[in-house]
Amino acid sequence: MVDRQSVTPGNPWVAQLARIQGIQQELPSVATYDLVLEDPTVAEAFKFQPGQFNMLYLPGFGEAAISISSDPSHLASLQHTVRAAGNVTTALSRVHVGDQLGVRGPFGSSWPLEACRGKDVVIACGGIGLPPLRPLIYYMIQHREEFGRVHLLYGARTPGELLFTDEFPPWQAAGIEMAVTVDLGYDDWTGDIGVVPVLFHRLNLNAHKTIVMTCGPEVMMRFVIFEALARGIDPRNIYLSMERNMQCAVGLCGACQLGPKFVCKDGPVFTYEQMEPYLMLEDL
Ligand SMILES: Cc1cc2nc3c(=O)[nH]c(=O)nc-3n(C[C@H](O)[C@H](O)[C@H](O)COP(=O)(O)OP(=O)(O)OC[C@H]3O[C@@H](n4cnc5c(N)ncnc54)[C@H](O)[C@@H]3O)c2cc1C
Ligand code: FES
């Protein structure tokens, strides 16, 4: 089962004011925003689990669901890594350090830390799918002895579109076994070329003690799951984070509904067993 710990401070409908303390431009269309909650009482009460998300509110533009991408043990500020995609996220790409925005959250289920203890772990992600997994990576590094081998399989379209590359050496030094691939390599690219699921061929997995977690484009997640199932991994030990249009984020408006599930409340992290009827449907 996915971990489900509600740690929302106060009224989940009320956006808390946060000030932008820093902006790290990761790629031309992706930036990481460091947010500090203005109300010290709210800031002190705010805790999150790896995989949870906040609703970021920009007055005049609206709200967007954005995963928290920072270390869950460092709560002085909260990072969100955002790709300018539509109305809110493009407006967010124009804000400055010192500006304010609204934060509601944290919402949703989280990556299954308990299920991972004592197990080998495969984290497979593509592009902007890495930020929702970054808090998990920090957690696993800080509690390295509680987990078996930890593999991070990551890919992007080009080397220039890989996120957080300056963190790769410390992650590897801390015992994360990384394999990185791109769809299109430049002349000086010496790593793998191809899609993320192909990286499974490098792994020698013990299916009975491996947990797989994946986040990224749905087509990539489908093939990651295919590779995991082909290696005998139980569908209950494969976890994925679903992205759906969000409005209320508290299970009331139905905007994120998938059959009987609400992605905002029951997810975004689900087991493959839970999502199988929906994930394999085209254009869902
Ligand atoms: C749990 C969860 C976690 C997420 N975490 C992150 C994260 O960490 N980082 C991140 O960058 N994103 C994340 N997302 C995705 C983000 O919430 C969506 O991309 C959201 O829609 C952005 O809001 P927006 O107002 O900027 O885009 P919207 O205006 O809602 O547009 C969304 C998409 O629809 C397209 N679109 C908009 N209007 C039209 C139209 N009329 N016709 C055709 N296409 C249109 C846009 O081009 C864009 O691709 C997450 C989503 C979920 C559910
Ligand atoms: S966003 Fe309203 S029910 Fe999920």
Side-chain angles (χ1 to χ4, degrees):
M1 287 295 292
V2 294
D3 292 349
R4 196 174 305 285
Q5 298 180 30
S6 179
V7 284
T8 304
N11 184 341
W13 293 101
V14 177
Q16 301 294 334
L17 271 183
R19 192 168 296 280
I20 299 171
Q21 181 182 254
I23 302 174
Q24 168 79 30
Q25 197 68 43
E26 312 281 0
L27 307 176
S29 63
V30 178
T32 297
Y33 301 86
D34 245 309
L35 306 181
V36 177
L37 292 162
E38 295 272 53
D39 182 333
T41 315
V42 172
E44 200 168 318
F46 193 102
K47 292 184 177 50
F48 73 95
Q49 299 294 318
Q52 289 194 299
F53 68 95
N54 280 325
M55 296 297 286
L56 300 189
Y57 170 64
L58 272 188
F61 295 95
E63 284 187 310
I66 303 293
S67 304
I68 307 170
S69 64
S70 49
D71 184 340
S73 71
H74 290 168
L75 294 164
S77 71
L78 300 167
Q79 292 185 333
H80 299 75
T81 302
V82 185
R83 185 182 60 199
N87 193 29
V88 176
T89 49
T90 302
L92 195 54
S93 71
R94 300 194 201 103
V95 299
H96 300 101
V97 171
D99 289 351
Q100 284 180 320
L101 49 72
V103 174
R104 283 196 300 134
F107 294 117
S109 58
S110 53
W111 298 109
L113 294 174
E114 286 311 317
C116 290
R117 281 187 219 289
K119 303 273 177 45
D120 294 338
V121 172
V122 179
I123 298 167
C125 51
I128 194 81
L130 180 54
L133 284 155
R134 190 163 72 146
L136 175 78
I137 295 167
Y138 291 139
Y139 183 94
M140 289 196 158
I141 287 173
Q142 287 157 16
H143 302 82
R144 190 66 198 84
E145 70 290 348
E146 295 175 19
F147 307 99
R149 295 179 72 173
V150 180
H151 301 275
L152 172 59
L153 314 181
Y154 177 47
R157 280 192 308 166
T158 64
E161 290 167 88
L162 292 165
L163 290 169
F164 310 136
T165 48
D166 57 337
E167 297 188 40
F168 293 177
W171 288 354
Q172 285 173 300
I176 307 292
E177 299 177 52
M178 286 192 65
V180 179
T181 187
V182 295
D183 296 343
L184 285 172
Y186 307 137
D187 289 345
D188 58 348
W189 174 252
T190 54
D192 279 76
I193 293 190
V195 293
V196 170
V198 171
L199 296 173
F200 268 81
H201 292 288
R202 288 166 159 242
L203 309 179
N204 185 12
L205 300 177
N206 177 346
H208 302 295
K209 60 169 297 221
T210 300
I211 305 282
V212 174
M213 288 169 275
T214 184
C215 186
E218 270 184 38
V219 64
M220 184 215 78
M221 294 200 292
R222 288 180 202 182
F223 282 99
V224 162
I225 291 163
F226 179 81
E227 293 290 341
L229 293 173
R231 283 160 178 75
I233 295 174
D234 190 309
R236 290 166 298 184
N237 288 336
I238 301 172
Y239 295 81
L240 62 154
S241 185
M242 300 293 288
E243 290 200 355
R244 283 296 178 273
N245 191 22
M246 300 275 175
Q247 286 176 21
C248 71
V250 292
L252 287 178
C253 73
C256 68
Q257 199 163 357
L258 278 179
K261 306 271 184 217
F262 294 99
V263 174
C264 64
K265 191 166 68 73
D266 303 314
V269 177
F270 293 96
T271 64
Y272 172 59
E273 190 186 43
Q274 292 174 303
M275 277 300 106
E276 184 187 7
Y278 314 107
L279 189 68
M280 297 303 168
L281 295 181
E282 294 294 337
D283 301 325
L284 193 84

